[in-house]
Amino acid sequence: MQSLPFVRLGAILLTAFMLLWAGQGSLRRVRTPLILLALFALLMIIQLIPLPPALWMGLPGHAGYSQLAEAAGIDQPWRPISITPDLTLNSLLALAIPAAALVTLALLPRESTFKVLPLLIAGALSSALIGVAQMSGDAGKDLYLYRITNFSAPVGFFANRNHQAAFLAMGIPMLALWAASLRGDPRKLLALRWTAFGAALFIVALGLATGSRMGVVLQLLGMAGAFALLRVRRGSTDVQTGKGRQCILIGAGVSMVLILGGAMIARSRAESIQRLFASDSGEDLRFAYISYTVDLAGKFFPFGSGFGSFDAVFREVEPRAQLGWAFFNHAHNDLIELAMNGGIFALGLLAVFLLWWFRQALRLWRGGSKSRSADLGRLGSILTAMLMLSSLVDYPLRTPTMALIFAISCFWMCGSSGSSEAREPRDRNEADDSAGPRFTR
């Protein structure tokens, strides 16, 4: 993509600026995720180091390539572990975006980091509005941003219907927390909260229209996460006293979703619901090809084939009988593709990250704190869980936007740890209704 070099260069320059001139916080806030990201980058760098021919040919999975070179009469030069070093370098540069997010948020003043949530909500709603415009007939065709895309679906900022559906589904818990955190004039708050409720319904309806089956699962997870966030914020006593009002809101929301879903199915627009019960040859190939990807992961184990190499390596084993116009660019299961590309070392980093994530999420949800940092930390655990679940059938974290959201969510999960939460000041304007709604505890 022609835009990626500029996006990555901007991320690198932003990181350098924050480290050299603008830093007011501390990188200790994000020590664990930043170290894991650095080790992930180091693994890619190691895969780019040239090795002597004898050592390279002895690596698991590499012998076949050396035999081809010998048959062609090509002398073996020093080669890196990666089968596709140019694409491994591309993968390394892609890490600039999540790294910039972690470094920038860690070095910003704490109050500034609380303003990220409204920006993400605005991004989700903007992508949804573009998706609506894309479905407006011939005029909407010019609004698709990529040459290869799901032209029949409202993909918004993305090329892939599943990525748009995941982005929209994440907007549900984000809207819930934002609406619950508003302060100000009660009449204005009521209008804003009903607006957030309507925006959530709009997101659900458009998510159904994307045609993503995983999107339906993520929407349900997003709704469950939204309810859990609201329940923790209210506390057990408030939940009991406001139980009737909660039941009314939940019932109204479920009813509206059912009405919208039924209407869209009747008009043949809820493709994700229809596809739950329909056969899709492209989707079926994803599951049929998993066994081939698992075999490739074993073939290159324990060092891997190199990040970014899936497409090139998979062509070795792609069944000739199933060749067609569609191409298989990723495994559509990032756990298996990670094992294939990075081997045992990548899986080890993933295991450490999951251990950190589980401990942080457990602490956040057990703590019951109602501070802004804790609220955002719990939201971050929901968003990361949604993206990791989606990664089992797709590859959302390979897009810059999703990588950015994942990094922001990890920062939020770090934000309320240790003594920093205890010292977090209350918003001095919290009781001042004249300034309108703001994100406060």
Side-chain angles (χ1 to χ4, degrees), residues 96-281:
I97 294 169
L102 288 173
V103 170
T104 299
L105 290 172
L107 295 180
L108 281 176
R110 179 176 291 274
E111 289 297 318
S112 299
T113 63
F114 297 137
K115 301 176 183 178
V116 176
L117 178 59
L119 295 177
L120 293 182
I121 293 173
L125 293 176
S126 298
S127 188
L129 291 173
I130 292 177
V132 171
Q134 289 169 339
M135 293 193 301
S136 62
D138 293 337
K141 292 181 179 179
D142 295 332
L143 297 176
Y144 285 93
L145 304 179
Y146 305 94
R147 181 175 58 87
I148 300 176
T149 185
N150 297 125
F151 282 108
S152 62
V155 294
F157 291 135
F158 299 92
N160 186 312
R161 72 171 86 232
N162 297 313
H163 301 162
Q164 167 78 331
F167 193 28
L168 297 179
M170 288 189 292
I172 298 173
M174 288 193 287
L175 280 166
L177 181 58
W178 175 78
S181 306
L182 294 172
R183 294 290 183 271
D185 183 0
R187 290 173 296 180
K188 293 181 180 178
L189 288 181
L190 182 62
L192 285 172
R193 284 170 177 163
W194 276 107
T195 301
F197 182 72
L201 290 178
F202 170 61
I203 281 176
V204 170
L206 192 66
L208 294 175
T210 59
S212 171
R213 288 180 274 196
M214 175 52 72
V216 177
V217 176
L218 294 178
Q219 284 189 356
L220 295 175
L221 181 58
M223 293 177 191
F227 177 76
L229 287 171
L230 297 178
R231 185 177 181 86
V232 172
R233 278 192 59 82
R234 287 180 177 274
S236 58
T237 303
D238 292 337
V239 169
Q240 293 298 324
T241 57
K243 189 174 181 179
R245 183 170 59 181
Q246 270 194 349
C247 291
I248 292 174
L249 288 175
I250 293 172
V254 172
S255 300
M256 289 298 295
V257 170
L258 291 176
I259 292 172
L260 284 171
M264 295 181 72
I265 291 174
R267 294 181 60 85
S268 300
R269 296 304 305 176
E271 293 187 19
S272 53
I273 298 294
Q274 295 174 6
R275 292 173 77 236
L276 284 174
F277 308 101
S279 175
D280 187 317
S281 58

Side-chain angles (χ1 to χ4, degrees), residues 170 353 357 379-389 405-407 409-410 413:
M170 288 189 292
F353 171 79
W357 181 90
L379 174 62
S381 69
I382 294 171
L383 301 183
T384 49
M386 295 173 72
L387 285 172
M388 287 190 288
L389 178 63
I405 295 174
F406 196 87
S409 300
C410 289
M413 293 183 71

Side-chain angles (χ1 to χ4, degrees), residues 349-360:
L349 289 175
L350 176 62
V352 175
F353 171 79
L354 291 176
L355 177 62
W356 171 84
W357 181 90
F358 180 79
R359 292 182 61 184
Q360 290 292 104

